Amino acid sequence: MHPATAKWYDRRDSVYIEFCVADSKDVKINFEKAKFAFSCLGGTDQVKHENEVDLFEAIDQNESMHKRTDRSVLCCLRKAEPGKPWLRLTKEKAKLTWLSVDFNNWKDWEDDSDQELGNFDRFSEVGDGDMAFNTQEAMAKMMNNMGGEGDLPDLDGADDDESADSDDEKMPDLE
């Protein structure tokens, strides 16, 4: 038996753990108040994976859930105390070789502000119709709001040929 490789990240109400097991079968997940267990068969060899974690804080095992995809199993652990950040996933400070932080999904939610959410809403002003076109349109709007050509400050001497650096001198030939 092997532990499955996993990534985790924290949110206000929940902690998410993604077990990276392709083609998982016989997925079994046991949510307890202070413990979490995962097992499955996975990969082309159908290797048995098992992970067990004593959690940093308590969870609501009745509200916790999981979703299986072809590439992984994503688990949502509902916090018993929403709004309290988890410093780590495990109760112990020991480093687990199979567990890492999912920095792609990590968010410093303590610094959330309505202004940041408002900025995000500006990016999604377009509808769901033509996703590629709308994404390009939204990016163009964002770039226009940030300023375009003509808004750059005048850099004194940037185009002058006379302002050569001392390291622009010709190097002597090698012997």
Side-chain angles (χ1 to χ4, degrees):
M1 287 185 264
H2 302 280
T5 302
K7 301 182 287 185
W8 81 283
Y9 60 97
D10 186 27
R11 289 290 194 268
R12 281 191 193 282
D13 303 353
S14 306
V15 171
Y16 293 88
I17 308 171
E18 182 176 17
F19 291 95
C20 305
V21 179
D23 301 323
S24 60
K25 293 180 176 54
D26 298 330
V27 175
K28 293 182 180 115
I29 297 177
N30 185 24
F31 298 108
E32 295 179 24
K33 186 174 182 170
K35 190 181 244 184
F36 170 76
F38 168 82
S39 68
C40 74
L41 296 174
T44 55
D45 300 337
Q46 290 299 296
V47 174
K48 173 97 173 170
H49 296 280
E50 277 191 37
N51 301 66
E52 191 171 297
V53 178
D54 290 321
L55 298 169
F56 181 71
E57 293 283 339
I59 61 169
D60 182 347
Q61 63 263 33
N62 297 324
E63 292 292 319
S64 297
M65 59 190 104
H66 74 280
K67 179 180 179 183
R68 186 199 157 282
T69 66
D70 289 340
R71 295 184 184 196
S72 65
V73 177
L74 181 63
C75 301
C76 173
L77 309 177
R78 296 297 258 185
K79 293 179 180 178
E81 295 181 45
K84 185 176 181 183
W86 285 25
L87 304 177
R88 58 186 174 275
L89 180 65
T90 60
K91 185 174 194 146
E92 301 296 322
K93 288 185 178 182
K95 171 80 173 130
L96 301 174
T97 57
W98 54 266
L99 182 65
S100 64
V101 174
D102 186 351
F103 288 107
N104 291 333
N105 288 310
W106 193 269
K107 181 179 174 185
D108 191 10
W109 50 264
E110 288 183 330
D111 294 336
D112 281 351
S113 69
D114 292 336
Q115 182 180 3
E116 287 178 11
L117 295 174
N119 288 342
F120 181 77
D121 288 342
R122 279 194 352 219
F123 289 53
S124 57
E125 290 174 352
V126 293
D128 292 331
D130 183 1
M131 189 65 170
F133 175 75
N134 290 339
T135 302
Q136 290 173 351
E137 185 177 300
M139 288 298 287
K141 284 183 183 178
M142 179 185 69
M143 295 302 285
N144 286 337
N145 288 340
M146 292 174 65
E149 289 185 26
D151 293 340
L152 296 174
D154 185 25
L155 302 175
D156 292 332
D159 292 332
D160 297 343
D161 290 333
E162 299 168 10
S163 61
D165 289 340
S166 63
D167 61 347
D168 289 343
E169 298 171 6
K170 185 172 170 28
M171 298 275 297
D173 293 332
L174 295 174
E175 295 179 15

